[in-house]
Amino acid sequence: QVQLVESGGGLVQAGGSLRLSCAASGGAFSINAMGWYRQAPGKQRELVASIRSGLSTNYADSVKGRFTISRDNAKKMVYLQMNSLKPEDTGVYYCNKDPPYSVYWGQGTQVTVSS
């Protein structure tokens, strides 16, 4: 059973940066495409960035050029470097497979960007 634990969120001013981390345990991590998802207040959860086992990446248009997803298969870690943060980036950030498995959703990590 895969467990995913997110960390690194916090309160930051607009224009600031945060680096999120996702630690995975169990499962064949290296072969899975992984993604970072965001759920803003009152909105559905959305995929903001994903990375394949071959390290190709995809980003939502809203974060292109500002966010960078990376992974360390040896450590079973996925990262999301977020720069030039905007108030609309506020939400709870989760990692999961891409596409996601419902049983793998963790607690997420809260990111709040103040204007």
Side-chain angles (χ1 to χ4, degrees):
Q1 182 78 0
V2 172
Q3 284 192 314
L4 302 169
V5 179
E6 304 91 347
S7 62
L11 173 63
V12 64
Q13 288 188 330
S17 298
L18 284 173
R19 188 191 193 211
L20 306 184
S21 298
C22 171
S25 60
F29 176 82
S30 63
I31 66 173
N32 294 310
M34 297 295 296
W36 279 99
Y37 300 78
R38 172 173 72 196
Q39 187 161 23
K43 295 186 177 182
Q44 288 190 331
R45 190 150 37 194
E46 61 173 340
L47 177 67
V48 297
S50 63
I51 184 165
R52 299 289 184 263
S53 58
L55 303 184
S56 63
T57 58
N58 283 288
Y59 298 93
D61 288 343
S62 60
V63 307
K64 276 182 183 176
R66 301 187 297 120
F67 289 11
T68 302
I69 188 171
S70 61
R71 66 191 295 165
D72 185 333
N73 289 335
K75 295 181 179 180
K76 292 190 175 182
M77 296 290 294
V78 185
Y79 306 99
L80 186 67
Q81 178 66 45
M82 306 187 296
N83 298 328
S84 303
L85 282 162
K86 304 176 181 180
E88 51 264 42
D89 294 319
T90 293
V92 181
Y93 285 71
Y94 305 84
C95 67
N96 203 324
K97 291 184 177 182
D98 177 24
Y101 280 28
S102 59
V103 295
Y104 292 168
W105 292 116
Q107 296 299 309
T109 186
Q110 175 71 45
V111 171
T112 303
V113 184
S114 63
S115 56

